[in-house]
Amino acid sequence: MNLSIASRLIGFFTLISLLVLVLLGGLLAHTVQHHFDEMDLAELQTKQQQIRLYTENNQLDQAELIAQLNHLLPREAGWHYLLFNQHTLRYSSIDSPHLFTPDDFNANQLQRIMLENQAYVSWFAPAADNQAWWVISLKNIDHHEHFMQMFIQLLLVGSLIALLVMVGLGWWMVRQGLRPLKHFSQLATKVSGQHLTERLDINTLPTELQPLGQAFNAMLDRLENAFQRLSQFSADLAHEFRTPINNLMMQSQVALSQPRDKADYQDILVSNIEEFERLARMVNDMLLLAKTDQGLDIETQPVELQALCRQLIDYFELPAAERHIHFDLQGQGTVKGNGELLRRALANILGNAVRHAYSNSTIQIRLKQTKNQLEIKICNQGETIPAEHLNKLFERFYRVESARPHQGGSGLGLAISRAIILVHQGTIHATSQDNHTCFHISLNKL
């Protein structure tokens, strides 16, 4: 069963609190018991030392000594004494003295014994070689036992109450701490195609959640931008499809409006084929981008880029010559890649450069080899692209409408070029300043 974060935190907090209370209660109980043991030991040793000094330094015979001990050691409440001489019991304050012998006691350590259903603690220190008397003293500790029982009960009750209070406070703290997460869920439920402007207030979030809030807001920004571009692309795509479709319909209707000779029908069919080819190119571009999203496996071979660029220059020479645009190619290099895909990527960039270059200008193509990379730089002289558009040039369906007038195309060319470069594990970016726009491509050398 999947538990909520709150349940897990409260569970962990409860276990930790219980462990702390148990350890603290055990430590307190042990400390109090140790204190009582030290007090009992001190009293037992003091009594025993007094009796031993009296017996060892007295010159009376045993009968007189015993008589004096009976007088000096009255039956104090809670105390008993056993005196042995030569292993023979000479004095006892216990009604049944023969219940015990020195062998029943552990030497030099506190020992708990039961006597007449009462708890006693005893101390027995064997006599030294020059001493004849052995003294065993016993002290009643029922009051200590009762106190410890009451103390442990109070600890248990207090610990239970403290645990309940701590769990309650922990539950409240967890709810307060997780409240910002509710804002995430509430905001997420509001997000839709019609409501993409909602954002989290980062300043109200805890420090730990601020990076998550910033990432969430950034994600919403990307979604909003992507949705706007997609909406714009849908409109552009509809417009792009509508134009050739309308041309096809109009030409077909005109062709069927009256009888015509064979040559007229052939001209109309040729025009229709051009429109169909335009539609096919758009569909193929969209399919290629869809394939790159899913991971495109390519067949690679050595590609000599200088030869490839010369082929592209020959292809664009006619439209460039109409506007007196020249090409300047310098450098050489070979990369490992798919020649057809690289041709398409560079053709899109070069066609874009020809389309937006000033008349009577030169398009520069530079091939530069570094240690492991081959850098391709394609520059044209044209209207400067604002900086806020540069990072978006390679996004799908994006056109710099405010910077450049619409001159055909669906806005997929640069997106396709970027996808192809990325498939080849390369990089691509654009710069634009002082009426010079350059596309920088980096590919792995062969």
Side-chain angles (χ1 to χ4, degrees):
M1 180 177 63
N2 292 328
L3 298 177
S4 65
I5 295 178
S7 299
R8 296 179 184 182
L9 290 177
I10 293 173
F12 288 141
F13 186 78
T14 302
L15 289 176
I16 293 173
S17 300
L18 181 61
L19 179 61
V20 170
L21 289 174
V22 168
L23 292 177
L24 182 60
L27 179 62
L28 287 175
H30 175 75
T31 301
V32 173
Q33 184 63 54
H34 181 69
H35 174 68
F36 284 153
D37 290 343
E38 287 185 338
M39 289 177 57
D40 294 338
L41 177 61
E43 290 186 54
L44 288 168
Q45 288 178 335
T46 299
K47 291 284 187 181
Q48 193 172 98
Q49 186 177 12
Q50 291 173 351
I51 295 172
R52 187 182 297 280
L53 289 173
Y54 183 79
T55 57
E56 295 296 339
N57 296 326
N58 203 308
Q59 302 299 322
L60 299 175
D61 59 30
Q62 289 192 8
E64 294 176 342
L65 181 61
I66 296 302
Q68 290 193 13
L69 286 174
N70 284 325
H71 176 72
L72 293 173
L73 298 177
R75 299 193 177 191
E76 302 177 65
W79 283 89
H80 285 296
Y81 306 95
L82 297 172
L83 277 71
F84 293 85
N85 182 265
Q86 302 297 331
H87 294 277
T88 302
L89 179 65
R90 298 299 182 183
Y91 175 83
S92 173
S93 61
I94 303 174
D95 294 336
S96 300
H98 297 290
L99 292 175
F100 302 101
T101 66
D103 295 333
D104 294 326
F105 299 91
N106 297 324
N108 297 319
Q109 69 179 51
L110 285 176
Q111 182 176 351
R112 186 180 182 276
I113 61 175
M114 295 298 297
L115 180 63
E116 299 175 351
N117 296 323
Q118 293 183 341
Y120 283 80
V121 64
S122 66
W123 178 261
F124 168 47
D129 294 339
N130 60 348
Q131 296 175 339
W133 291 88
W134 289 4
V135 181
I136 299 174
S137 54
L138 297 92
K139 178 184 178 184
N140 187 287
I141 58 170
D142 277 345
H143 59 293
H144 290 174
E145 296 282 323
H146 294 157
F147 177 84
M148 287 301 300
Q149 291 177 1
M150 183 180 65
F151 181 70
I152 292 176
Q153 290 176 356
L154 290 175
L155 275 180
L156 291 175
V157 174
S159 298
L160 180 60
I161 295 174
L163 180 63
L164 294 176
V165 172
M166 294 172 69
V167 170
L169 290 175
W171 176 81
W172 179 80
M173 292 171 60
V174 168
R175 285 182 60 87
Q176 292 297 113
L178 295 180
R179 180 172 293 179
L181 295 180
K182 290 186 177 181
H183 297 165
F184 280 89
S185 61
Q186 292 171 357
L187 181 60
T189 57
K190 295 180 182 179
V191 174
S192 65
Q194 291 73 34
H195 299 87
L196 288 172
T197 58
E198 299 285 345
R199 296 293 184 273
L200 286 171
D201 187 0
I202 303 299
N203 296 326
T204 62
L205 295 177
T207 304
E208 295 81 1
L209 292 180
Q210 286 184 359
L212 179 60
Q214 293 171 351
F216 189 78
N217 285 344
M219 179 192 70
L220 292 179
D221 290 337
R222 293 192 299 270
L223 285 176
E224 184 178 10
N225 293 334
F227 188 81
Q228 290 176 353
R229 291 196 303 273
L230 183 60
S231 299
Q232 182 62 42
F233 171 71
S234 299
D236 291 343
L237 192 61
H239 176 74
E240 296 293 339
F241 277 135
R242 183 177 59 184
T243 300
I245 290 174
N246 286 341
N247 291 340
L248 289 170
M249 291 177 60
M250 181 182 65
Q251 292 174 7
S252 298
Q253 290 171 353
V254 170
L256 296 175
S257 63
Q258 60 183 358
R260 300 179 184 276
D261 57 26
K262 182 179 178 180
D264 291 337
Y265 284 121
Q266 288 179 340
D267 291 340
I268 293 173
L269 289 175
V270 170
S271 178
N272 287 350
I273 289 174
E274 293 177 353
E275 297 298 337
F276 281 124
E277 289 176 345
R278 179 180 174 186
L279 288 171
R281 285 194 298 271
M282 295 176 63
V283 172
N284 289 334
D285 288 346
M286 295 173 65
L287 288 176
L288 177 61
L289 288 172
K291 289 180 180 179
T292 56
D293 283 340
Q294 299 175 1
L296 184 64
D297 293 329
I298 59 173
E299 296 182 0
T300 61
Q301 60 184 3
V303 179
E304 211 291 303
L305 287 183
Q306 186 184 63
L308 180 60
C309 290
R310 291 196 181 279
Q311 293 175 6
L312 293 175
I313 290 173
D314 292 339
Y315 178 80
F316 288 105
E317 187 173 11
L318 182 59
E322 293 177 356
R323 298 173 53 211
H324 306 287
I325 297 174
H326 305 282
F327 295 95
D328 180 15
L329 172 63
Q330 295 183 20
Q332 60 182 358
T334 303
V335 297
K336 186 177 182 180
N338 185 289
E340 290 301 322
L341 290 178
L342 289 176
R343 183 194 309 274
R344 185 168 185 178
L346 295 178
N348 288 338
I349 297 173
L350 200 56
N352 194 69
V354 172
R355 187 161 54 249
H356 297 290
Y358 290 144
S359 299
N360 300 307
S361 64
T362 299
I363 296 177
Q364 296 181 345
I365 305 174
R366 297 290 183 266
L367 306 178
K368 180 181 178 182
Q369 299 186 51
T370 61
K371 183 178 181 180
N372 298 314
Q373 301 286 317
L374 178 62
E375 297 178 357
I376 308 170
K377 183 177 179 182
I378 301 176
C379 299
N380 73 303
Q381 299 176 35
E383 189 173 349
T384 301
I385 301 175
E388 63 269 18
H389 293 286
L390 289 176
N391 292 331
K392 303 178 181 179
L393 285 179
F394 301 99
E395 295 181 3
R396 300 174 187 183
F397 326 127
Y398 188 81
R399 294 200 196 94
V400 190
E401 298 291 356
S402 60
R404 295 181 175 185
H406 177 44
Q407 299 182 16
S410 62
L412 295 174
L414 292 180
I416 291 174
S417 296
R418 178 178 178 273
I420 292 174
I421 297 301
L422 292 180
V423 166
H424 285 79
Q425 299 180 347
T427 60
I428 181 172
H429 69 278
T431 59
S432 184
Q433 58 183 1
D434 300 330
N435 299 112
H436 283 77
T437 299
C438 297
F439 288 84
H440 307 264
I441 302 172
S442 179
L443 295 170
N444 294 324
K445 283 200 316 183
L446 181 63

